[in-house]
Amino acid sequence: EVQVEESGGGSVEAGGSLRLSCTASGFTVETGDMGWYRQTPGSDCELVSGIDKDGRTMSAASVKGRFTLSQDNAKNTVYLQMNSLKPEDTAVYYCAAEAFHGVIPSSERRPCRDPFSYWGQGTQVTVSS
């Protein structure tokens, strides 16, 4: 059984930083693709950053230069370092394993926690102005 668990969310002021972690079990992050998504109320999940099995990464235009995805294969964990946070980054952040099925998109919106990937429960990030 594949399980994905996020951690590291919280509340920060604008300009601050947070690091989200996503640990998978039953799935090897080194040989699969992983994505970080976020959801604001009333919206689908927006792909924020992702990495495929070959190490290619993508970031949404809205976070490019501020968010960095990294991977620790020994810990089977991916991270999302979020710097220069803005109030518009406030959202529930989800991690998904087997997110792209081999083809990393340049952008994506999809229903959160759909049955085509393995999703965590989400972690809230709140950025105050």
Side-chain angles (χ1 to χ4, degrees), residues 2 4 16-17 45 47 61-62 68-69 77-78 86 92 107 114 126:
V2 176
V4 176
S17 298
C45 266
L47 178 61
S62 58
T68 303
L69 186 151
T77 297
V78 293
K86 304 176 180 180
V92 177
S107 66
D114 65 26
T126 302

Side-chain angles (χ1 to χ4, degrees), residues 12-128:
V12 295
E13 294 185 349
S17 298
L18 284 173
R19 188 178 78 156
L20 305 183
S21 300
C22 171
T23 300
S25 59
F27 180 88
T28 304
V29 300
E30 183 178 10
T31 58
D33 46 59
M34 302 290 293
W36 282 102
Y37 294 79
R38 66 186 181 188
Q39 183 187 32
T40 54
S43 299
D44 283 340
C45 266
E46 172 197 15
L47 178 61
V48 174
S49 189
I51 184 167
D52 69 12
K53 63 179 178 62
D54 296 318
R56 288 183 291 257
T57 61
M58 65 73 64
S59 293
S62 58
V63 305
K64 200 162 288 186
R66 301 188 297 122
F67 290 12
T68 303
L69 186 151
S70 62
Q71 186 171 298
D72 185 333
N73 295 329
K75 295 182 178 180
N76 213 37
T77 297
V78 293
Y79 303 96
L80 186 67
Q81 178 66 45
M82 306 186 295
N83 298 328
S84 302
L85 282 161
K86 304 176 180 180
E88 52 263 43
D89 294 319
T90 295
V92 177
Y93 284 71
Y94 293 93
C95 177
E98 204 64 82
F100 317 120
H101 302 281
V103 182
I104 192 168
S106 58
S107 66
E108 184 182 40
R109 284 188 180 271
R110 60 194 281 193
C112 298
R113 306 188 72 201
D114 65 26
F116 306 110
S117 300
Y118 302 101
W119 296 80
Q121 294 295 314
T123 185
Q124 176 71 45
V125 171
T126 302
V127 185
S128 59

